[in-house]
Amino acid sequence: MTSRRLRIGTRGSQLARWQAEWVRTQLQELGIEAELVLITTSGDRHQQWSVEALGTTGVFTKEIQQALLSREIDLAVHSLKDLPTRSVPGLTIAAIPPRGPVEDMLITRGGRSLMELPPGATVGTGSRRRAAQLLFHRPDLKIVPLRGNLDTRLRRLQEGVFDAIVVAAAGLARLGRLGEATQNLTPDYLLPAPGQGALAIEALESAAEVLELLAPLNDPCTAAEVTAERTALAALSAGCLAPVATWARLVQGQLILTARVLSPDGAEKLEVTCSGELSHPKRLGEKVGKLLKAQGADRLVSMARTSAEKAASED
């Protein structure tokens, strides 16, 4: 136990603060006092820019990680899907708490489902993964970039800028707004991003006392699921801009991993599902990544990279 007050680094958005407050509450229940330290990331400063224009990795995490390295904070709370698969030297994921819902949610003004939207309907999303999967099912849709916090996205929908938007179920659930969703886009429609719905608590590798305090917050099952997902992503060398989706879940004691790679326009889709042992999630992720590469995933990832570079140059 520590007598000092731990400093939790977090972004300042409503959802990020909720997540950090949740971690703070869990620590308090263990008798550990903590306070929030709000940090603005490049992704927060430039919400008018597309993700492509911001860069490919760490736009929501770099500044927080630098604060950890300079010992301005003791731990950081991230949405795991925002955390690059390549770890920062000197830092480690100390705990991955139980996961929230992994699905994406469709929200429309008229209460229509995805397949009921009118031809050429405008759908807002800042995710190339979501865009490609939507276009696979509905190539007629017009996908328009959408960034900003949840309130901003919902307001733009109600103002008529979009016919529909797609957001993560976990964010809606954590902010008590799940009831505003029109349709749960189950993995049959949209497979989630690697780590979606999970939190990552990061700390210094050398901070033994902090790592020990955070260990009780780790959920081994969630940690195995997201490790398999992120390993598959890393095996594809896809980064965060390629349309890659993964979903790992525990079924009758076996870890099942499904992964998809799509062309940016959704016209092509590769998919692999494999099972493995819960105790060896990296092995499963590597296997799935290798099978996707054997099917031609490298070509689709290259297409996505070229498309992202072109989009960035046009911003």
Side-chain angles (χ1 to χ4, degrees), residues 2 5 8 34 40 43 53 76-77 86 129 147-148 165 178-179 212 216 220 248 264-265 279 281 283 293 312:
T2 182
R5 192 178 180 91
I8 303 174
T40 302
V77 178
R86 182 175 296 178
R129 168 191 61 84
R147 293 193 59 218
I165 62 173
L178 200 54
E212 184 178 352
D265 62 1
S279 57
R283 187 182 300 171
K293 288 168 77 73

Side-chain angles (χ1 to χ4, degrees), residues 51-59 62 82 84 238-241 305 308-309:
V51 176
E52 289 90 348
L54 285 169
T56 57
T57 59
V59 297
K62 284 180 182 177
D82 292 336
C240 63
L241 296 180
R305 188 174 293 116
E309 291 171 353

Side-chain angles (χ1 to χ4, degrees), residues 52-105:
E52 289 90 348
L54 285 169
T56 57
T57 59
V59 297
F60 295 114
T61 60
K62 284 180 182 177
E63 288 83 355
I64 301 175
Q65 291 172 321
Q66 184 55 52
L68 264 178
L69 291 169
S70 60
R71 300 180 184 272
E72 298 168 34
I73 56 176
D74 300 297
L75 61 138
V77 178
H78 308 287
S79 291
L80 185 55
K81 65 184 180 67
D82 292 336
L83 198 63
T85 55
R86 182 175 296 178
S87 60
V88 174
L91 300 182
T92 186
I93 297 178
I96 299 173
R99 196 177 203 171
V102 303
E103 300 90 352
D104 286 309
M105 292 292 188

Side-chain angles (χ1 to χ4, degrees), residues 254-278:
Q254 285 284 298
L255 192 60
I256 309 295
L257 174 61
T258 301
R260 291 176 188 161
V261 183
L262 300 97
S263 58
D265 62 1
E268 297 182 70
K269 182 185 77 168
L270 305 177
E271 182 169 323
V272 167
T273 297
C274 291
S275 63
E277 297 178 14
L278 185 67

Side-chain angles (χ1 to χ4, degrees), residues 112-129:
R112 294 176 174 176
S113 68
L114 175 64
M115 304 310 290
E116 292 171 341
L117 288 172
T122 299
V123 181
T125 175
S127 163
R128 295 169 70 85
R129 168 191 61 84

